[in-house]
mmCIF file of all heavy atoms in Angstrom:
data_model
loop_
_atom_site.group_PDB
_atom_site.id
_atom_site.type_symbol
_atom_site.label_atom_id
_atom_site.label_comp_id
_atom_site.label_asym_id
_atom_site.label_seq_id
_atom_site.Cartn_x
_atom_site.Cartn_y
_atom_site.Cartn_z
ATOM 1 N N MET A 1177 119.551 -0.609 -26.439
ATOM 2 C CA MET A 1177 120.227 0.476 -25.770
ATOM 3 C C MET A 1177 119.419 1.771 -25.850
ATOM 4 O O MET A 1177 119.381 2.530 -24.904
ATOM 5 C CB MET A 1177 121.612 0.647 -26.407
ATOM 6 C CG MET A 1177 122.435 1.728 -25.778
ATOM 7 S SD MET A 1177 122.862 1.233 -24.118
ATOM 8 C CE MET A 1177 123.720 2.661 -23.590
ATOM 9 N N ALA A 1178 118.782 1.999 -26.992
ATOM 10 C CA ALA A 1178 118.010 3.234 -27.162
ATOM 11 C C ALA A 1178 116.812 3.266 -26.217
ATOM 12 O O ALA A 1178 116.454 4.334 -25.707
ATOM 13 C CB ALA A 1178 117.552 3.375 -28.600
ATOM 14 N N TRP A 1179 116.216 2.113 -25.955
ATOM 15 C CA TRP A 1179 115.043 2.115 -25.075
ATOM 16 C C TRP A 1179 115.437 2.409 -23.632
ATOM 17 O O TRP A 1179 114.643 2.961 -22.875
ATOM 18 C CB TRP A 1179 114.278 0.804 -25.194
ATOM 19 C CG TRP A 1179 115.058 -0.402 -24.770
ATOM 20 C CD1 TRP A 1179 115.872 -1.161 -25.546
ATOM 21 C CD2 TRP A 1179 115.089 -0.987 -23.466
ATOM 22 N NE1 TRP A 1179 116.416 -2.179 -24.806
ATOM 23 C CE2 TRP A 1179 115.950 -2.096 -23.521
ATOM 24 C CE3 TRP A 1179 114.470 -0.686 -22.255
ATOM 25 C CZ2 TRP A 1179 116.220 -2.891 -22.421
ATOM 26 C CZ3 TRP A 1179 114.733 -1.484 -21.162
ATOM 27 C CH2 TRP A 1179 115.593 -2.569 -21.254
ATOM 28 N N ILE A 1180 116.674 2.091 -23.239
ATOM 29 C CA ILE A 1180 117.137 2.421 -21.887
ATOM 30 C C ILE A 1180 117.284 3.931 -21.739
ATOM 31 O O ILE A 1180 116.873 4.513 -20.728
ATOM 32 C CB ILE A 1180 118.465 1.703 -21.586
ATOM 33 C CG1 ILE A 1180 118.255 0.197 -21.521
ATOM 34 C CG2 ILE A 1180 119.072 2.200 -20.276
ATOM 35 C CD1 ILE A 1180 119.521 -0.603 -21.395
ATOM 36 N N VAL A 1181 117.847 4.576 -22.767
ATOM 37 C CA VAL A 1181 117.997 6.038 -22.738
ATOM 38 C C VAL A 1181 116.627 6.701 -22.718
ATOM 39 O O VAL A 1181 116.403 7.665 -21.988
ATOM 40 C CB VAL A 1181 118.836 6.509 -23.946
ATOM 41 C CG1 VAL A 1181 118.901 8.021 -24.004
ATOM 42 C CG2 VAL A 1181 120.234 5.915 -23.881
ATOM 43 N N ARG A 1182 115.692 6.164 -23.506
ATOM 44 C CA ARG A 1182 114.334 6.727 -23.505
ATOM 45 C C ARG A 1182 113.647 6.527 -22.160
ATOM 46 O O ARG A 1182 112.905 7.397 -21.696
ATOM 47 C CB ARG A 1182 113.516 6.083 -24.614
ATOM 48 C CG ARG A 1182 113.912 6.563 -25.978
ATOM 49 C CD ARG A 1182 113.027 5.973 -27.043
ATOM 50 N NE ARG A 1182 113.454 6.432 -28.356
ATOM 51 C CZ ARG A 1182 113.529 5.659 -29.403
ATOM 52 N NH1 ARG A 1182 113.189 4.388 -29.326
ATOM 53 N NH2 ARG A 1182 113.935 6.148 -30.554
ATOM 54 N N LEU A 1183 113.871 5.390 -21.525
ATOM 55 C CA LEU A 1183 113.281 5.139 -20.211
ATOM 56 C C LEU A 1183 113.845 6.096 -19.169
ATOM 57 O O LEU A 1183 113.091 6.645 -18.350
ATOM 58 C CB LEU A 1183 113.529 3.684 -19.800
ATOM 59 C CG LEU A 1183 112.937 3.246 -18.465
ATOM 60 C CD1 LEU A 1183 111.413 3.324 -18.517
ATOM 61 C CD2 LEU A 1183 113.379 1.837 -18.129
ATOM 62 N N ILE A 1184 115.150 6.341 -19.207
ATOM 63 C CA ILE A 1184 115.755 7.304 -18.285
ATOM 64 C C ILE A 1184 115.207 8.700 -18.558
ATOM 65 O O ILE A 1184 114.926 9.459 -17.628
ATOM 66 C CB ILE A 1184 117.291 7.263 -18.408
ATOM 67 C CG1 ILE A 1184 117.820 5.931 -17.888
ATOM 68 C CG2 ILE A 1184 117.936 8.415 -17.651
ATOM 69 C CD1 ILE A 1184 119.275 5.691 -18.158
ATOM 70 N N GLY A 1185 115.025 9.036 -19.824
ATOM 71 C CA GLY A 1185 114.440 10.331 -20.171
ATOM 72 C C GLY A 1185 113.021 10.478 -19.671
ATOM 73 O O GLY A 1185 112.632 11.530 -19.167
ATOM 74 N N LEU A 1186 112.239 9.417 -19.789
ATOM 75 C CA LEU A 1186 110.868 9.457 -19.298
ATOM 76 C C LEU A 1186 110.833 9.604 -17.782
ATOM 77 O O LEU A 1186 110.036 10.376 -17.241
ATOM 78 C CB LEU A 1186 110.120 8.196 -19.732
ATOM 79 C CG LEU A 1186 108.660 8.102 -19.328
ATOM 80 C CD1 LEU A 1186 107.851 9.209 -19.989
ATOM 81 C CD2 LEU A 1186 108.095 6.745 -19.683
ATOM 82 N N LEU A 1187 111.710 8.893 -17.095
ATOM 83 C CA LEU A 1187 111.773 9.014 -15.639
ATOM 84 C C LEU A 1187 112.202 10.416 -15.217
ATOM 85 O O LEU A 1187 111.658 10.970 -14.255
ATOM 86 C CB LEU A 1187 112.720 7.969 -15.059
ATOM 87 C CG LEU A 1187 112.232 6.527 -15.117
ATOM 88 C CD1 LEU A 1187 113.325 5.574 -14.624
ATOM 89 C CD2 LEU A 1187 110.971 6.347 -14.297
ATOM 90 N N ALA A 1188 113.164 11.006 -15.927
ATOM 91 C CA ALA A 1188 113.590 12.373 -15.612
ATOM 92 C C ALA A 1188 112.462 13.364 -15.874
ATOM 93 O O ALA A 1188 112.260 14.305 -15.096
ATOM 94 C CB ALA A 1188 114.825 12.740 -16.425
ATOM 95 N N LEU A 1189 111.729 13.154 -16.942
ATOM 96 C CA LEU A 1189 110.601 14.032 -17.261
ATOM 97 C C LEU A 1189 109.517 13.945 -16.189
ATOM 98 O O LEU A 1189 108.995 14.960 -15.728
ATOM 99 C CB LEU A 1189 110.038 13.675 -18.632
ATOM 100 C CG LEU A 1189 108.942 14.555 -19.189
ATOM 101 C CD1 LEU A 1189 109.486 15.940 -19.473
ATOM 102 C CD2 LEU A 1189 108.384 13.951 -20.457
ATOM 103 N N LEU A 1190 109.199 12.729 -15.772
ATOM 104 C CA LEU A 1190 108.186 12.558 -14.721
ATOM 105 C C LEU A 1190 108.667 13.094 -13.378
ATOM 106 O O LEU A 1190 107.881 13.679 -12.625
ATOM 107 C CB LEU A 1190 107.809 11.077 -14.605
ATOM 108 C CG LEU A 1190 107.023 10.507 -15.782
ATOM 109 C CD1 LEU A 1190 106.817 9.008 -15.599
ATOM 110 C CD2 LEU A 1190 105.700 11.220 -15.947
ATOM 111 N N ALA A 1191 109.955 12.918 -13.075
ATOM 112 C CA ALA A 1191 110.496 13.452 -11.822
ATOM 113 C C ALA A 1191 110.456 14.977 -11.826
ATOM 114 O O ALA A 1191 110.107 15.607 -10.819
ATOM 115 C CB ALA A 1191 111.929 12.954 -11.614
ATOM 116 N N GLY A 1192 110.786 15.570 -12.963
ATOM 117 C CA GLY A 1192 110.710 17.030 -13.061
ATOM 118 C C GLY A 1192 109.291 17.539 -12.928
ATOM 119 O O GLY A 1192 109.039 18.543 -12.259
ATOM 120 N N ALA A 1193 108.338 16.842 -13.546
ATOM 121 C CA ALA A 1193 106.928 17.255 -13.430
ATOM 122 C C ALA A 1193 106.438 17.094 -11.999
ATOM 123 O O ALA A 1193 105.707 17.947 -11.484
ATOM 124 C CB ALA A 1193 106.072 16.443 -14.393
ATOM 125 N N GLY A 1194 106.842 16.020 -11.341
ATOM 126 C CA GLY A 1194 106.443 15.823 -9.946
ATOM 127 C C GLY A 1194 107.040 16.866 -9.028
ATOM 128 O O GLY A 1194 106.369 17.384 -8.133
ATOM 129 N N MET A 1195 108.297 17.199 -9.252
ATOM 130 C CA MET A 1195 108.930 18.241 -8.438
ATOM 131 C C MET A 1195 108.309 19.598 -8.710
ATOM 132 O O MET A 1195 108.210 20.437 -7.819
ATOM 133 C CB MET A 1195 110.436 18.284 -8.720
ATOM 134 C CG MET A 1195 111.201 17.132 -8.128
ATOM 135 S SD MET A 1195 112.954 17.200 -8.530
ATOM 136 C CE MET A 1195 113.452 18.681 -7.695
ATOM 137 N N TRP A 1196 107.914 19.831 -9.956
ATOM 138 C CA TRP A 1196 107.282 21.106 -10.317
ATOM 139 C C TRP A 1196 105.978 21.290 -9.538
ATOM 140 O O TRP A 1196 105.640 22.384 -9.114
ATOM 141 C CB TRP A 1196 107.002 21.111 -11.811
ATOM 142 C CG TRP A 1196 106.607 22.455 -12.356
ATOM 143 C CD1 TRP A 1196 105.451 23.135 -12.110
ATOM 144 C CD2 TRP A 1196 107.377 23.267 -13.216
ATOM 145 N NE1 TRP A 1196 105.454 24.312 -12.786
ATOM 146 C CE2 TRP A 1196 106.612 24.433 -13.471
ATOM 147 C CE3 TRP A 1196 108.627 23.141 -13.809
ATOM 148 C CZ2 TRP A 1196 107.082 25.451 -14.290
ATOM 149 C CZ3 TRP A 1196 109.064 24.151 -14.623
ATOM 150 C CH2 TRP A 1196 108.305 25.280 -14.855
ATOM 151 N N LEU A 1197 105.243 20.196 -9.345
ATOM 152 C CA LEU A 1197 103.948 20.293 -8.669
ATOM 153 C C LEU A 1197 104.072 20.530 -7.174
ATOM 154 O O LEU A 1197 103.197 21.145 -6.571
ATOM 155 C CB LEU A 1197 103.141 19.017 -8.928
ATOM 156 C CG LEU A 1197 102.674 18.823 -10.367
ATOM 157 C CD1 LEU A 1197 102.015 17.454 -10.507
ATOM 158 C CD2 LEU A 1197 101.728 19.919 -10.781
ATOM 159 N N VAL A 1198 105.150 20.053 -6.559
ATOM 160 C CA VAL A 1198 105.258 20.168 -5.105
ATOM 161 C C VAL A 1198 106.294 21.190 -4.665
ATOM 162 O O VAL A 1198 106.428 21.439 -3.470
ATOM 163 C CB VAL A 1198 105.598 18.802 -4.460
ATOM 164 C CG1 VAL A 1198 104.493 17.805 -4.718
ATOM 165 C CG2 VAL A 1198 106.929 18.282 -4.938
ATOM 166 N N ALA A 1199 107.011 21.841 -5.580
ATOM 167 C CA ALA A 1199 108.078 22.769 -5.208
ATOM 168 C C ALA A 1199 107.536 24.176 -4.979
ATOM 169 O O ALA A 1199 106.456 24.531 -5.456
ATOM 170 C CB ALA A 1199 109.137 22.804 -6.295
ATOM 171 N N ASP A 1200 108.323 24.956 -4.249
ATOM 172 C CA ASP A 1200 108.015 26.372 -4.101
ATOM 173 C C ASP A 1200 108.284 27.083 -5.424
ATOM 174 O O ASP A 1200 108.981 26.581 -6.281
ATOM 175 C CB ASP A 1200 108.901 27.005 -3.021
ATOM 176 C CG ASP A 1200 108.540 26.508 -1.635
ATOM 177 O OD1 ASP A 1200 107.371 26.142 -1.431
ATOM 178 O OD2 ASP A 1200 109.435 26.492 -0.766
ATOM 179 N N MET A 1201 107.751 28.272 -5.560
ATOM 180 C CA MET A 1201 107.957 29.019 -6.791
ATOM 181 C C MET A 1201 109.405 29.447 -6.972
ATOM 182 O O MET A 1201 109.844 29.711 -8.080
ATOM 183 C CB MET A 1201 107.051 30.259 -6.827
ATOM 184 C CG MET A 1201 105.623 29.920 -7.082
ATOM 185 S SD MET A 1201 105.473 29.126 -8.682
ATOM 186 C CE MET A 1201 103.750 28.883 -8.773
ATOM 187 N N SER A 1202 110.174 29.534 -5.902
ATOM 188 C CA SER A 1202 111.565 29.958 -6.021
ATOM 189 C C SER A 1202 112.479 28.820 -6.459
ATOM 190 O O SER A 1202 113.613 29.063 -6.855
ATOM 191 C CB SER A 1202 112.054 30.517 -4.683
ATOM 192 O OG SER A 1202 111.989 29.506 -3.696
ATOM 193 N N LEU A 1203 112.010 27.589 -6.400
ATOM 194 C CA LEU A 1203 112.851 26.439 -6.720
ATOM 195 C C LEU A 1203 112.409 25.735 -7.998
ATOM 196 O O LEU A 1203 112.363 24.515 -8.056
ATOM 197 C CB LEU A 1203 112.827 25.448 -5.556
ATOM 198 C CG LEU A 1203 113.374 25.942 -4.226
ATOM 199 C CD1 LEU A 1203 113.140 24.901 -3.152
ATOM 200 C CD2 LEU A 1203 114.846 26.254 -4.350
ATOM 201 N N LEU A 1204 112.087 26.486 -9.025
ATOM 202 C CA LEU A 1204 111.595 25.871 -10.259
ATOM 203 C C LEU A 1204 112.697 25.593 -11.278
ATOM 204 O O LEU A 1204 112.413 25.058 -12.337
ATOM 205 C CB LEU A 1204 110.523 26.762 -10.889
ATOM 206 C CG LEU A 1204 109.227 26.877 -10.087
ATOM 207 C CD1 LEU A 1204 108.254 27.782 -10.807
ATOM 208 C CD2 LEU A 1204 108.609 25.526 -9.851
ATOM 209 N N VAL A 1205 113.943 25.929 -10.958
ATOM 210 C CA VAL A 1205 115.026 25.722 -11.916
ATOM 211 C C VAL A 1205 115.348 24.240 -12.056
ATOM 212 O O VAL A 1205 115.505 23.731 -13.168
ATOM 213 C CB VAL A 1205 116.277 26.512 -11.484
ATOM 214 C CG1 VAL A 1205 117.452 26.224 -12.397
ATOM 215 C CG2 VAL A 1205 115.970 27.990 -11.463
ATOM 216 N N LEU A 1206 115.433 23.523 -10.954
ATOM 217 C CA LEU A 1206 115.769 22.100 -11.005
ATOM 218 C C LEU A 1206 114.689 21.270 -11.709
ATOM 219 O O LEU A 1206 115.029 20.450 -12.569
ATOM 220 C CB LEU A 1206 116.038 21.563 -9.596
ATOM 221 C CG LEU A 1206 116.481 20.115 -9.514
ATOM 222 C CD1 LEU A 1206 117.788 19.904 -10.259
ATOM 223 C CD2 LEU A 1206 116.628 19.690 -8.067
ATOM 224 N N PRO A 1207 113.410 21.456 -11.407
ATOM 225 C CA PRO A 1207 112.396 20.700 -12.168
ATOM 226 C C PRO A 1207 112.407 21.038 -13.656
ATOM 227 O O PRO A 1207 112.256 20.145 -14.491
ATOM 228 C CB PRO A 1207 111.067 21.115 -11.527
ATOM 229 C CG PRO A 1207 111.410 21.605 -10.192
ATOM 230 C CD PRO A 1207 112.781 22.170 -10.297
ATOM 231 N N ALA A 1208 112.618 22.292 -13.988
ATOM 232 C CA ALA A 1208 112.675 22.670 -15.403
ATOM 233 C C ALA A 1208 113.873 22.024 -16.082
ATOM 234 O O ALA A 1208 113.768 21.538 -17.210
ATOM 235 C CB ALA A 1208 112.730 24.194 -15.538
ATOM 236 N N ALA A 1209 115.009 21.982 -15.403
ATOM 237 C CA ALA A 1209 116.195 21.348 -15.968
ATOM 238 C C ALA A 1209 115.969 19.847 -16.150
ATOM 239 O O ALA A 1209 116.367 19.269 -17.165
ATOM 240 C CB ALA A 1209 117.396 21.605 -15.069
ATOM 241 N N LEU A 1210 115.336 19.205 -15.181
ATOM 242 C CA LEU A 1210 115.038 17.780 -15.305
ATOM 243 C C LEU A 1210 114.103 17.506 -16.477
ATOM 244 O O LEU A 1210 114.274 16.522 -17.198
ATOM 245 C CB LEU A 1210 114.409 17.254 -14.016
ATOM 246 C CG LEU A 1210 115.350 16.749 -12.939
ATOM 247 C CD1 LEU A 1210 114.563 16.396 -11.690
ATOM 248 C CD2 LEU A 1210 116.147 15.577 -13.414
ATOM 249 N N MET A 1211 113.134 18.379 -16.678
ATOM 250 C CA MET A 1211 112.195 18.180 -17.775
ATOM 251 C C MET A 1211 112.885 18.380 -19.128
ATOM 252 O O MET A 1211 112.623 17.627 -20.071
ATOM 253 C CB MET A 1211 111.005 19.123 -17.624
ATOM 254 C CG MET A 1211 110.138 18.757 -16.426
ATOM 255 S SD MET A 1211 108.835 19.920 -16.098
ATOM 256 C CE MET A 1211 107.685 19.483 -17.374
ATOM 257 N N VAL A 1212 113.785 19.329 -19.218
ATOM 258 C CA VAL A 1212 114.516 19.545 -20.471
ATOM 259 C C VAL A 1212 115.434 18.365 -20.755
ATOM 260 O O VAL A 1212 115.486 17.870 -21.893
ATOM 261 C CB VAL A 1212 115.305 20.877 -20.405
ATOM 262 C CG1 VAL A 1212 116.304 20.978 -21.545
ATOM 263 C CG2 VAL A 1212 114.359 22.045 -20.416
ATOM 264 N N VAL A 1213 116.142 17.891 -19.741
ATOM 265 C CA VAL A 1213 117.015 16.729 -19.920
ATOM 266 C C VAL A 1213 116.190 15.505 -20.306
ATOM 267 O O VAL A 1213 116.592 14.722 -21.167
ATOM 268 C CB VAL A 1213 117.835 16.470 -18.640
ATOM 269 C CG1 VAL A 1213 118.530 15.118 -18.687
ATOM 270 C CG2 VAL A 1213 118.852 17.572 -18.439
ATOM 271 N N GLY A 1214 115.032 15.336 -19.693
ATOM 272 C CA GLY A 1214 114.164 14.217 -20.040
ATOM 273 C C GLY A 1214 113.704 14.269 -21.479
ATOM 274 O O GLY A 1214 113.699 13.254 -22.176
ATOM 275 N N LEU A 1215 113.326 15.451 -21.942
ATOM 276 C CA LEU A 1215 112.903 15.585 -23.341
ATOM 277 C C LEU A 1215 114.056 15.313 -24.308
ATOM 278 O O LEU A 1215 113.869 14.672 -25.339
ATOM 279 C CB LEU A 1215 112.339 16.986 -23.585
ATOM 280 C CG LEU A 1215 110.945 17.239 -23.025
ATOM 281 C CD1 LEU A 1215 110.564 18.700 -23.186
ATOM 282 C CD2 LEU A 1215 109.927 16.352 -23.710
ATOM 283 N N VAL A 1216 115.239 15.796 -23.955
ATOM 284 C CA VAL A 1216 116.404 15.540 -24.814
ATOM 285 C C VAL A 1216 116.700 14.049 -24.871
ATOM 286 O O VAL A 1216 116.981 13.496 -25.942
ATOM 287 C CB VAL A 1216 117.625 16.335 -24.311
ATOM 288 C CG1 VAL A 1216 118.908 15.863 -24.974
ATOM 289 C CG2 VAL A 1216 117.423 17.818 -24.553
ATOM 290 N N LEU A 1217 116.621 13.375 -23.736
ATOM 291 C CA LEU A 1217 116.894 11.942 -23.719
ATOM 292 C C LEU A 1217 115.810 11.142 -24.441
ATOM 293 O O LEU A 1217 116.077 10.048 -24.937
ATOM 294 C CB LEU A 1217 117.044 11.440 -22.282
ATOM 295 C CG LEU A 1217 118.336 11.858 -21.578
ATOM 296 C CD1 LEU A 1217 118.307 11.384 -20.134
ATOM 297 C CD2 LEU A 1217 119.551 11.316 -22.295
ATOM 298 N N LEU A 1218 114.609 11.659 -24.504
ATOM 299 C CA LEU A 1218 113.554 10.978 -25.250
ATOM 300 C C LEU A 1218 113.743 11.129 -26.759
ATOM 301 O O LEU A 1218 113.453 10.208 -27.524
ATOM 302 C CB LEU A 1218 112.177 11.515 -24.855
ATOM 303 C CG LEU A 1218 111.614 11.019 -23.535
ATOM 304 C CD1 LEU A 1218 110.340 11.777 -23.194
ATOM 305 C CD2 LEU A 1218 111.341 9.537 -23.594
ATOM 306 N N VAL A 1219 114.236 12.280 -27.194
ATOM 307 C CA VAL A 1219 114.337 12.568 -28.620
ATOM 308 C C VAL A 1219 115.695 12.171 -29.194
ATOM 309 O O VAL A 1219 115.785 11.784 -30.362
ATOM 310 C CB VAL A 1219 114.059 14.072 -28.860
ATOM 311 C CG1 VAL A 1219 114.276 14.452 -30.302
ATOM 312 C CG2 VAL A 1219 112.653 14.410 -28.423
ATOM 313 N N ALA A 1220 116.755 12.243 -28.400
ATOM 314 C CA ALA A 1220 118.121 12.018 -28.899
ATOM 315 C C ALA A 1220 118.331 10.659 -29.563
ATOM 316 O O ALA A 1220 118.984 10.604 -30.609
ATOM 317 C CB ALA A 1220 119.121 12.228 -27.771
ATOM 318 N N PRO A 1221 117.834 9.553 -29.013
ATOM 319 C CA PRO A 1221 118.075 8.273 -29.699
ATOM 320 C C PRO A 1221 117.469 8.219 -31.095
ATOM 321 O O PRO A 1221 118.071 7.660 -32.008
ATOM 322 C CB PRO A 1221 117.410 7.242 -28.780
ATOM 323 C CG PRO A 1221 117.382 7.865 -27.450
ATOM 324 C CD PRO A 1221 117.208 9.324 -27.708
ATOM 325 N N SER A 1222 116.318 8.815 -31.288
ATOM 326 C CA SER A 1222 115.697 8.817 -32.612
ATOM 327 C C SER A 1222 116.528 9.609 -33.613
ATOM 328 O O SER A 1222 116.736 9.169 -34.744
ATOM 329 C CB SER A 1222 114.293 9.411 -32.533
ATOM 330 O OG SER A 1222 113.496 8.669 -31.665
ATOM 331 N N ILE A 1223 117.004 10.766 -33.192
ATOM 332 C CA ILE A 1223 117.820 11.592 -34.080
ATOM 333 C C ILE A 1223 119.144 10.919 -34.372
ATOM 334 O O ILE A 1223 119.617 10.896 -35.507
ATOM 335 C CB ILE A 1223 118.026 12.987 -33.465
ATOM 336 C CG1 ILE A 1223 116.696 13.724 -33.391
ATOM 337 C CG2 ILE A 1223 119.045 13.796 -34.250
ATOM 338 C CD1 ILE A 1223 116.749 15.027 -32.662
ATOM 339 N N PHE A 1224 119.757 10.328 -33.351
ATOM 340 C CA PHE A 1224 121.029 9.636 -33.526
ATOM 341 C C PHE A 1224 120.888 8.450 -34.479
ATOM 342 O O PHE A 1224 121.719 8.257 -35.373
ATOM 343 C CB PHE A 1224 121.559 9.185 -32.171
ATOM 344 C CG PHE A 1224 122.912 8.548 -32.240
ATOM 345 C CD1 PHE A 1224 124.019 9.303 -32.587
ATOM 346 C CD2 PHE A 1224 123.071 7.212 -31.964
ATOM 347 C CE1 PHE A 1224 125.269 8.716 -32.654
ATOM 348 C CE2 PHE A 1224 124.326 6.608 -32.038
ATOM 349 C CZ PHE A 1224 125.425 7.378 -32.384
ATOM 350 N N LEU A 1225 119.832 7.677 -34.313
ATOM 351 C CA LEU A 1225 119.623 6.535 -35.208
ATOM 352 C C LEU A 1225 119.275 6.979 -36.621
ATOM 353 O O LEU A 1225 119.610 6.286 -37.587
ATOM 354 C CB LEU A 1225 118.530 5.626 -34.634
ATOM 355 C CG LEU A 1225 118.896 4.876 -33.354
ATOM 356 C CD1 LEU A 1225 117.698 4.132 -32.815
ATOM 357 C CD2 LEU A 1225 120.044 3.913 -33.607
ATOM 358 N N LEU A 1226 118.617 8.109 -36.752
ATOM 359 C CA LEU A 1226 118.299 8.633 -38.079
ATOM 360 C C LEU A 1226 119.580 9.001 -38.834
ATOM 361 O O LEU A 1226 119.700 8.719 -40.023
ATOM 362 C CB LEU A 1226 117.389 9.865 -37.953
ATOM 363 C CG LEU A 1226 116.979 10.541 -39.239
ATOM 364 C CD1 LEU A 1226 116.027 9.640 -40.032
ATOM 365 C CD2 LEU A 1226 116.318 11.864 -38.945
ATOM 366 N N PHE A 1227 120.544 9.605 -38.142
ATOM 367 C CA PHE A 1227 121.800 9.981 -38.798
ATOM 368 C C PHE A 1227 122.672 8.772 -39.095
ATOM 369 O O PHE A 1227 123.503 8.817 -39.998
ATOM 370 C CB PHE A 1227 122.572 10.984 -37.947
ATOM 371 C CG PHE A 1227 122.006 12.370 -38.010
ATOM 372 C CD1 PHE A 1227 121.653 13.040 -36.868
ATOM 373 C CD2 PHE A 1227 121.833 13.012 -39.230
ATOM 374 C CE1 PHE A 1227 121.145 14.311 -36.917
ATOM 375 C CE2 PHE A 1227 121.299 14.282 -39.296
ATOM 376 C CZ PHE A 1227 120.966 14.948 -38.138
ATOM 377 N N LEU A 1228 122.498 7.682 -38.342
ATOM 378 C CA LEU A 1228 123.304 6.489 -38.605
ATOM 379 C C LEU A 1228 122.849 5.740 -39.850
ATOM 380 O O LEU A 1228 123.635 5.019 -40.450
ATOM 381 C CB LEU A 1228 123.244 5.559 -37.404
ATOM 382 C CG LEU A 1228 124.107 5.950 -36.213
ATOM 383 C CD1 LEU A 1228 123.926 4.934 -35.089
ATOM 384 C CD2 LEU A 1228 125.564 6.037 -36.599
ATOM 385 N N GLU A 1229 121.588 5.905 -40.220
ATOM 386 C CA GLU A 1229 121.070 5.151 -41.376
ATOM 387 C C GLU A 1229 121.517 5.709 -42.677
ATOM 388 O O GLU A 1229 121.856 6.681 -43.026
ATOM 389 C CB GLU A 1229 119.547 5.120 -41.346
ATOM 390 C CG GLU A 1229 119.026 4.244 -40.259
ATOM 391 C CD GLU A 1229 117.510 4.203 -40.261
ATOM 392 O OE1 GLU A 1229 116.882 4.894 -41.086
ATOM 393 O OE2 GLU A 1229 116.962 3.484 -39.442
#
């Protein structure tokens, strides 16, 4: 289950980076939000599993 969350986080991070490269300067909020959500989804399973142990 944790690897699915990490995969979704990686996809969100890559989608945000791709949108950042092709977006106008006025539309950088959505790519930044996607990148933050992607990073949270990449790190959250590790922290959650650490607290469960």
Side-chain angles (χ1 to χ4, degrees):
M1177 181 68 183
W1179 63 272
I1180 293 173
V1181 175
R1182 287 184 181 138
L1183 182 64
I1184 292 171
L1186 182 64
L1187 290 175
L1189 185 66
L1190 291 175
M1195 287 178 65
W1196 191 291
L1197 292 174
V1198 297
D1200 291 332
M1201 286 299 182
S1202 62
L1203 298 174
L1204 293 180
V1205 175
L1206 184 61
L1210 272 175
M1211 292 174 76
V1212 167
V1213 168
L1215 285 173
V1216 167
L1217 288 176
L1218 282 172
V1219 175
S1222 300
I1223 294 173
F1224 184 67
L1225 291 174
L1226 179 69
F1227 284 125
L1228 283 179
E1229 289 181 358

